[in-house]
Amino acid sequence: SVVSKFGDASLEPELRGLLSHENTFARDVAARIVGELKISSLRPFILKLLVDEDMDVVRSAVIALREIGEQSNVPDILPLLDADETSVV
């Protein structure tokens, strides 16, 4: 895989840019990747996505935080999601 060949660290600059990209899909996918790879150094960028205008991005950010081990903010975030959205988280 790309990650095993290059390592998580080499992906960080690219992911950092995607997490603040104007394209909603780019932000959503980047948040998912950060969570799946558990790249905790990008936590500040994920936290910024919690107030994104797109609920898919917010959901991906919440999941990413949980996956990288950031449990302290997750309970506070859940009420911000609609009841229909919370069931996915």
Side-chain angles (χ1 to χ4, degrees):
S1 79
V2 172
V3 175
S4 62
K5 185 174 181 180
F6 298 104
D8 295 351
S10 67
L11 295 175
E12 287 186 35
E14 196 67 36
L15 287 170
R16 193 176 308 119
L18 291 171
L19 289 168
S20 59
H21 198 278
E22 65 184 43
N23 183 285
T24 301
F25 183 71
R27 293 191 308 274
D28 183 41
V29 170
R32 291 174 191 218
I33 292 170
V34 168
E36 287 177 22
L37 298 179
K38 299 178 180 10
I39 305 175
S40 60
S41 60
L42 293 177
R43 179 182 171 274
F45 297 92
I46 295 293
L47 288 171
K48 289 179 184 178
L49 295 180
L50 296 176
V51 293
D52 197 275
E53 69 269 2
D54 186 275
M55 287 307 296
D56 289 334
V57 174
V58 173
R59 185 183 317 110
S60 293
V62 170
I63 293 168
L65 285 172
R66 186 174 56 198
E67 289 178 341
I68 63 175
E70 178 56 55
Q71 297 296 323
S72 62
N73 290 328
V74 173
D76 297 332
I77 297 163
L78 292 178
L80 299 176
L81 301 174
D82 293 334
D84 294 341
E85 308 279 344
T86 307
S87 62
V88 177
V89 180

